[in-house]
Structures are given as C-alpha cells and as structure tokens.
Amino acid sequence: MNFLRLAARHLKPTQSIPTHKPTVSIKANITRMSTFTIPGSNLNVNSIPDLTQNDLLSFPAFKVWITTLQQSLARQEHPSHEFHSDPYVLRKIDIQCVDRFGGGRLGFIKLKADVSNSQGETLPGSVFLRGGSVGMLLILQPDDIPSPTENDKRAILTIQPRIPAGSLAFPEIPAGMLDDSGTFAGGAAKEIQEETGLRVEQGDLIDMTSLALQAVPDSDHGEHLQKGVYPSPGGSDEFIPLFLCEKSMPRKEIEELQGKLTGLREHGEKITLKIVPLVDLWKEGLRDGKTLAAWALYKGLKQDALL
C-alpha cells in the first residue's frame, strides 16, 4: 500500500490529500549602512544604523581592541618581523550587529575586520567584541585547623544557567563582566559578593595572571596584550584576569554555603553555590576554561613558590 492510499484511510470525507508544499513568502531584509572614518586615520568603518560613530569610539572594548591590534600591526615595521617584507594592514571594519543591555548600554558588537597584505592574503577577522571579564578562585579553609593542607581547603563553584553553552546548570568559578568603572580587583571583589554573598576586601585579592606574567619574561613576544587569559582568541576579544582569594572561616559557615542560592535576580542571575575539595576543582569544573586556567595558575605559582 502506498503512502497516498494509507493517508486517504485517515482523512475525513471533506479532507483532501495535499499534493504540494505550502508557499513560503520570504521578504528581503535590507539593512542600511552608514560609513565614517576613525579620527586620525584613513580607516573606514561601515556601520549599521543602531551604532553611531560616537557609540563605537566611546565603547571601552572597541578602544582596547583596536589599540592592541594597531600596536601589534606596527611591530611589522621591524626587519626581524616575519611579515616585514609584506606587512598586513587593517583596511576596513564592517559592523554586523550589536546587542544592548538594560538602559540601552552597549554590550556586544559583532564585526568583521579586513586585515590583508598587498598580495590579497587575509587573516581571519570575524570578531565578537565584548571586552574584559574577571574570574575568581575563592578558596576557603576551616579556621579550626592551624596549618591547613591542600586537602583541607575547599573551593567555591557557581552552578548557573549558561544559555550560550546550552546548559541550565553550568559549573564554574565566580566570574562576571567588567563595567566601565573601577579596577579589575575592585570588579573581582564586587563579583564575589554578588555571586557568593561573601564580602571580600580588594586588598585580599591576588592577581594571579599579573603575578605569572611578571615571572615569565616576554611571555607576549613583544606584543602588548591585556593582562588576562584569552579563552577564545580565534573569535572574541574577551580577556579574563584571574584572581585568588584565600579566606579562613568557621567550618559551620563553610558547610552552610553548600547549595546556597545567590545572584542578582534583577539581572537574570540564578546561582547555586557548590563547595568542592580544592584538590578536585579541576574535575568538578573541567568544562569551564577559566576554571582550568585558574587551577593551572594556582598550581604553577605554588610550584614556583610565588604564592
């Protein structure tokens, strides 16, 4: 029995068997572009109407990104540079879309940078521009142990929805985006309080990323990158300074943090705390790049007696 005969058995007398797919009308979505030039250069920017020249030039993430890139491109002038004979040039920028936070504050920009040499050879230039974030390795130790070992210490993970990862329960160290005000350490202390409820003084934080960079001469090979780890340098400008905070607390208070609900509900944060043995942190947070990076920095700095 073929499909049509089988379908006919289940149709009411007034129904007919469809013999073709419904017609779908698709309207072209034409986005008008505006063009302006970056002051002090001949670099053209093609922008969508939702992003003005002033918006772009005042966006901290853009200022940091383009300054860093131009400094790196300028290094090609030195005869020892591998691209010196045919240097790459940033020729134009196409703004593809933007995302704004509450109040209209600019949040993310998706752009395409045309970086090519005289032979027409291009470098991948698709950029998701979001700026710096901050991550914290928060280690707790019971204050009833005079000389706690690594086995006595606990680390805090936040379990929260991360829709871009397709998860409603993603484990990671406390972290957050940086706003336009304050220092990195100040931002880190603020994030700790928002995500864990624990108050930490800015002076209690150790910038593990900066400490490691000081111990590794010319780790950037002459470039002037930001003092943070880059979790996805092939597609995003995001850099994350990683801080350490070691805090002594009564054992009971540490235990009470397990399963605690935290986060700023008005910002859509729904966070549950998970307290794990420090020695197991790499296993508990192995899917999160900044957690593994913080773990590696902590172990490396400890190994070299820098912590």
Side-chain angles (χ1 to χ4, degrees):
M1 180 180 298
N2 63 29
F3 170 78
L4 292 178
R5 290 180 181 176
L6 182 61
R9 288 189 174 186
H10 298 281
L11 292 174
K12 294 179 181 180
T14 57
Q15 290 179 304
S16 60
I17 301 173
T19 58
H20 63 278
K21 295 181 179 180
T23 301
V24 178
S25 176
I26 301 177
K27 295 182 179 180
N29 184 15
I30 302 175
T31 302
R32 298 177 61 186
M33 306 292 288
S34 61
T35 300
F36 54 84
T37 302
I38 299 292
S41 72
N42 58 358
L43 178 63
N44 286 334
V45 176
N46 298 316
S47 180
I48 59 177
D50 193 35
L51 186 71
T52 67
Q53 178 177 0
N54 184 61
D55 285 339
L56 181 64
L57 298 182
S58 62
F59 186 39
F62 179 78
K63 291 190 288 187
V64 169
W65 169 75
I66 196 166
T67 299
T68 304
L69 177 59
Q70 288 174 332
Q71 289 174 339
S72 184
L73 292 172
R75 295 182 63 246
Q76 298 174 106
E77 298 174 3
H78 197 280
S80 65
H81 198 284
E82 59 182 315
F83 301 148
H84 174 72
S85 61
D86 191 6
Y88 285 87
V89 177
L90 175 59
R91 303 184 186 280
K92 68 172 182 174
I93 295 174
D94 293 326
I95 306 296
Q96 297 171 321
C97 62
V98 301
D99 193 7
R100 295 183 182 273
F101 297 152
R105 184 168 67 91
L106 192 58
F108 306 133
I109 296 179
K110 174 65 174 64
L111 61 84
K112 183 69 176 294
D114 181 354
V115 181
S116 59
N117 61 15
S118 63
Q119 302 298 314
E121 298 172 331
T122 61
L123 299 177
S126 294
V127 182
F128 178 63
L129 205 63
R130 56 166 292 159
S133 301
V134 63
M136 293 77 64
L137 175 55
L138 185 52
I139 298 176
L140 307 177
Q141 52 193 40
D143 59 7
D144 58 351
I145 302 177
S147 300
T149 66
E150 295 293 279
N151 289 330
D152 298 316
K153 297 177 180 180
R154 299 292 182 264
I156 292 184
L157 288 175
T158 61
I159 312 298
Q160 59 183 311
R162 289 303 196 192
I163 299 305
S167 172
L168 295 181
F170 195 84
E172 58 188 299
I173 58 174
M177 292 183 63
L178 291 170
D179 56 24
D180 301 343
S181 61
T183 62
F184 283 120
K190 180 181 177 183
E191 288 295 337
I192 287 178
Q193 186 169 359
E194 289 179 354
E195 296 202 356
T196 69
L198 298 175
R199 185 173 181 82
V200 174
E201 297 299 326
Q202 182 172 330
D204 296 335
L205 299 175
I206 298 174
D207 188 341
M208 294 194 294
T209 315
S210 291
L211 196 58
L213 287 170
Q214 294 170 17
V216 184
D218 197 27
S219 59
D220 293 334
H221 307 289
E223 294 188 316
H224 299 282
L225 302 180
Q226 304 308 302
K227 293 183 179 180
V229 300
Y230 286 76
S232 185
S236 176
D237 70 313
E238 183 183 17
F239 60 96
I240 310 177
L242 293 169
F243 290 83
L244 168 68
C245 177
E246 297 193 76
K247 191 176 181 68
S248 293
M249 295 174 57
R251 187 183 298 272
K252 182 179 179 181
E253 291 185 13
I254 295 176
E255 293 172 351
E256 289 175 347
L257 289 173
Q258 189 72 264
K260 180 180 178 180
L261 300 179
T262 65
L264 299 177
R265 290 298 188 265
E266 64 272 22
H267 292 172
E269 296 178 344
K270 297 188 177 181
I271 299 171
T272 303
L273 300 185
K274 184 175 184 180
I275 311 302
V276 302
L278 177 60
V279 294
D280 292 335
L281 178 63
W282 70 273
K283 292 184 286 188
E284 296 282 353
L286 63 86
R287 287 194 178 277
D288 180 49
K290 62 185 173 294
T291 298
L292 293 181
W295 166 261
L297 284 174
Y298 175 79
K299 298 294 284 186
L301 291 169
K302 279 280 190 181
Q303 174 184 290
D304 287 6
L306 296 174
L307 281 178

